[in-house]
Amino acid sequence: MSSGDKESKVVIIGGVAAGPKTGSRIARLCPDMEITLIEKGEFLSYAGCGLPYYISGVIKERGELMNTPSGAVRDAEFFHNVKNIQVCNRTQAMRINRKEKTVTIRSLRTNQQEDMAYDYLVLATGATPTNPPFEGIDLLNVFNLNKVEDAEAIMSVLESGDVRKVAIIGGGLIGAEMAESFHARGLQVCLIEKLPQLLPSLDEDMSLLISRYMEDKGVRIATDTTVTRLSGKSRVESVITQDGKIFDADVVLIATGVRPNSQLAHKAGLEIGDLGGIKVNEKLQISDPDIYAAGDCVQNTHRITGKPCYVPLGSTANKQGRVVANNICERPDRWRGVLGTNICKIFDYAVGSTGLTEKQACANGYEVLTVLSPAPDKAHYYPAAKPIFMKLVVDQKSRRLLGVQVIGPGGVDKRIDTAATAITAGMTVDMIAELDLAYAPPFAPAMDNLITAANIARNKLDGYLEGVSPQDVKAKIDRKEAIVLLDVRSLKEYESMHLSGSVCIPLGKLREEYERLPRGKEIITFCKLSLRGYEAALILKSKGFTDVKVMDGGLL
């Protein structure tokens, strides 16, 4: 049946992000289509990513998460009157009858069932929290944060005034964001993570900066810690770990990730990917050409590796909804995959990443070169300048940018977005160094942070700079290797803070005093950012020193 046919019926299962986006786009392109939206919950088209900020108090009213920019509430009446979409909320899709092209639905209000016919079916069924099988997980005051109802339940307990300590199990995006939200309400917060680091979208060196920052803010961090059970009589009182540690808690938030809701598709004999999400083609069709899928229920493809990945994000869900609608309305469109770009706010820091981490790139067979580049986000003399810490992951063979991680209180978002664009375009660090980015002191340094980092990568690739990571420097110290740590900051800077055992020769005096340094040892130069450290390495090489390296990122 042609998509332009007045009798065409589109049934969309899922009413949070991808579903409403699909329906709204179809209504604009093909206003004669009959569109029905099925949603199991009460609330429609809400900003799930805003829930932590509702709990913290930054967002004062729940309705703000469900309003349009003009203030209209996106409820069933709104979708009917404005979009001409029929909404059946509090309604569960029970099964897909592919042969008959119907969906069996059940009203959660009346318990009545009916079969709803479709010409095109869209699955936007989202994801469900993955709760580990802890003993005590059914105790009171144990929560997930996946929907509005979860946020309301948490708020109700917090407002009772009987909560002092919160334990968060899971150190991903939600866990980290909620640590800030609970802390903002004056609560003692402990963040427990099974892996050796927080935020798996970062490499360990960058994650460590976040852990230390959160601890400075008063959040207790416990990584490499496996929870085995929750303890309490009727409500939770403590979290017990594998090694016998006890964390007292009046509330526990479980944020150990989500799994795609692909059961409905699986029962209908539709193809499911290796990672548990619904498998789709570039049109976002499933193995049945009249059935599409979008959002957190879908398994994606990584744009760099071409391999399956599962990265559930509201931004992806909305973009996929548009692609589905375009294809249903015979406006051919393609979905080319994701880079896993994400950003979150943790206290005054922004934490962003895109593309592959160093660990992921190595695991995928790339010969990796990395750059650590801390610097002010604006002209250093501008009063509002704030530091950001940047890491580049580069393919040595092709010189292509593979990934970027940026954290700090400065302008993280625009560097991540620029990097995501560059990676999508397959740009090399040479091309990135030539980007004509906007410059004025209130907005950026004359050489933007991303351009500077790209130039550092070029210097490394071309043999002008041999870097060594701070982790490797520490390992050399721990192994008591015969190295010289050369600090080329001023004596005043050195006296205020320095590495134990380091030698200070200010950069301006190095050409006069280089003979103080032994020639038979490895020399590692550094300063605050290692910009002066790079200059020092060049001076030493010009004086015949051969084993000279620069500590990436300097003392910062």
Side-chain angles (χ1 to χ4, degrees):
M1 183 178 293
S2 167
S3 63
D5 195 314
K6 276 191 174 186
E7 302 303 317
S8 292
K9 297 180 179 180
V10 180
V11 175
I12 302 168
I13 302 174
V16 177
K21 183 65 175 182
T22 303
S24 297
R25 177 70 173 169
I26 292 173
R28 288 192 289 269
L29 295 178
C30 300
D32 292 330
M33 278 196 176
E34 183 180 321
I35 307 167
T36 304
L37 186 67
I38 309 296
E39 167 54 38
K40 185 178 179 180
E42 176 73 28
F43 302 106
L44 302 166
S45 193
Y46 58 84
C49 296
L51 294 175
Y53 309 106
Y54 171 53
I55 292 173
S56 71
V58 171
I59 296 171
K60 303 299 182 185
E61 299 293 336
R62 182 188 71 188
E64 295 178 47
L65 300 174
M66 290 171 275
N67 289 353
T68 67
S70 62
V73 178
R74 291 188 295 257
D75 55 13
E77 184 178 3
F78 168 83
F79 279 102
H80 181 265
N81 293 340
V82 177
K83 308 289 187 180
N84 196 29
I85 297 173
Q86 180 67 38
V87 172
C88 301
N89 59 347
R90 298 292 310 280
T91 301
Q92 184 175 6
M94 305 297 292
R95 63 180 174 273
I96 301 168
N97 312 301
R98 290 169 58 193
K99 186 176 180 181
E100 295 83 7
K101 296 191 75 168
T102 63
V103 177
T104 301
I105 61 175
R106 177 174 68 92
S107 169
L108 299 179
R109 293 185 176 91
T110 65
N111 208 34
Q112 292 183 332
Q113 292 191 14
E114 65 173 292
D115 288 339
M116 180 172 290
Y118 69 83
D119 297 303
Y120 300 98
L121 179 64
V122 181
L123 302 183
T125 47
T128 299
T130 54
N131 286 339
F134 300 141
E135 177 187 342
I137 201 167
D138 295 326
L139 290 168
L140 295 175
N141 293 2
V142 178
F143 300 102
N144 298 118
L145 183 61
N146 191 53
K147 52 187 185 294
V148 174
E149 291 86 347
D150 295 332
E152 293 287 12
I154 293 170
M155 291 284 283
S156 177
V157 170
L158 297 184
E159 289 170 355
S160 71
D162 196 25
V163 176
R164 292 184 301 109
K165 296 182 178 181
V166 176
I168 302 171
I169 303 173
L173 290 174
I174 293 296
E177 288 176 339
M178 285 304 299
E180 178 189 353
S181 295
F182 287 129
H183 185 275
R185 297 182 68 95
L187 304 173
Q188 298 178 39
V189 182
C190 178
L191 183 55
I192 305 169
E193 169 55 50
K194 183 177 182 179
L195 297 175
Q197 67 171 74
L198 303 182
L199 299 172
S201 61
L202 301 178
D203 281 311
E204 187 176 356
D205 48 2
M206 299 294 278
S207 175
L208 185 59
L209 293 172
I210 292 299
S211 295
R212 288 176 175 171
Y213 173 68
M214 294 180 73
E215 287 175 331
D216 287 343
K217 289 292 185 179
V219 176
R220 184 179 178 185
I221 304 294
T223 53
D224 254 335
T225 303
T226 301
V227 174
T228 55
R229 64 188 179 94
L230 309 179
S231 177
K233 294 180 181 178
S234 60
R235 72 178 198 179
V236 70
E237 297 174 10
S238 61
V239 177
I240 315 296
T241 69
Q242 193 173 52
D243 57 2
K245 291 180 182 176
I246 299 175
F247 298 90
D248 294 336
D250 305 306
V251 165
V252 170
L253 176 71
I254 299 178
T256 51
V258 297
R259 65 174 184 274
N261 287 331
S262 55
Q263 303 91 328
L264 190 67
H266 178 68
K267 289 178 182 177
L270 298 167
E271 192 170 2
I272 306 299
D274 295 337
L275 301 179
I278 299 171
K279 193 171 183 179
V280 293
N281 61 19
E282 285 191 331
K283 294 182 177 181
L284 295 177
Q285 291 169 308
I286 316 180
S287 42
D288 184 324
D290 292 329
I291 305 180
Y292 296 76
D296 292 356
C297 61
V298 168
Q299 177 174 290
N300 268 293
T301 300
H302 201 285
R303 280 180 178 249
I304 297 176
T305 66
K307 295 179 179 179
C309 63
Y310 183 62
V311 188
L313 290 169
S315 54
T316 299
N318 276 278
K319 287 180 283 189
Q320 287 183 330
R322 182 182 175 93
V323 172
V324 168
N326 287 347
N327 285 314
I328 287 176
C329 294
E330 297 182 351
R331 272 83 166 169
D333 204 350
R334 296 169 58 201
W335 178 252
R336 295 171 175 83
V338 298
L339 288 174
T341 306
N342 65 79
I343 191 168
C344 69
K345 176 184 176 296
I346 302 177
F347 295 100
D348 296 325
Y349 272 27
V351 182
S353 65
T354 185
L356 301 178
T357 64
E358 179 183 0
K359 184 177 180 180
Q360 291 168 340
C362 290
N364 279 279
Y366 289 98
E367 190 176 341
V368 173
L369 178 142
T370 63
V371 169
L372 294 175
S373 178
D377 66 333
K378 301 172 178 61
H380 67 275
Y381 53 81
Y382 192 76
K386 297 178 181 178
I388 57 175
F389 307 85
M390 181 178 292
K391 180 172 184 175
L392 265 58
V393 180
V394 180
D395 176 28
Q396 290 199 45
K397 291 183 179 179
S398 67
R399 303 171 73 97
R400 278 196 314 135
L401 184 63
L402 299 177
V404 174
Q405 301 160 47
V406 191
I407 65 176
V412 168
D413 53 344
K414 72 174 183 175
R415 275 84 189 190
I416 287 295
D417 288 341
T418 304
T421 304
I423 295 171
T424 300
M427 295 177 71
T428 66
V429 289
D430 308 281
M431 298 165 70
I432 293 167
E434 295 176 352
L435 287 174
D436 189 12
L437 301 181
Y439 162 63
F443 303 104
M447 297 277 279
D448 187 81
N449 305 68
L450 185 60
I451 290 175
T452 296
N455 279 329
I456 295 172
R458 297 169 78 195
N459 284 337
K460 286 189 172 186
L461 289 166
D462 295 336
Y464 300 127
L465 166 64
E466 186 175 358
V468 57
S469 72
Q471 287 86 349
D472 287 341
V473 173
K474 183 178 185 303
K476 288 174 182 288
I477 294 171
D478 292 342
R479 291 194 298 264
K480 296 181 169 42
E481 292 187 15
I483 61 174
V484 176
L485 298 174
L486 178 59
D487 190 330
V488 296
R489 297 175 300 152
S490 68
L491 287 173
K492 183 178 180 180
E493 290 175 287
Y494 181 82
E495 289 168 358
S496 68
M497 179 186 71
H498 63 267
L499 294 180
S500 177
S502 60
V503 176
C504 180
I505 303 179
L507 182 62
K509 295 185 177 182
L510 186 58
R511 293 183 186 276
E512 302 171 9
E513 301 183 14
Y514 68 89
E515 290 290 2
R516 290 172 49 191
L517 300 171
R519 291 185 177 270
K521 291 184 178 181
E522 177 185 8
I523 299 175
I524 298 174
T525 65
F526 62 91
C527 59
K528 182 179 179 180
L529 305 175
S530 278
L531 297 177
R532 286 173 284 177
Y534 174 50
E535 296 283 355
L538 294 177
I539 291 173
L540 292 178
K541 287 182 179 180
S542 74
K543 299 298 182 182
F545 289 83
T546 56
D547 195 0
V548 183
K549 298 181 178 68
V550 180
M551 185 166 73
D552 286 342
L555 286 174
L556 276 180

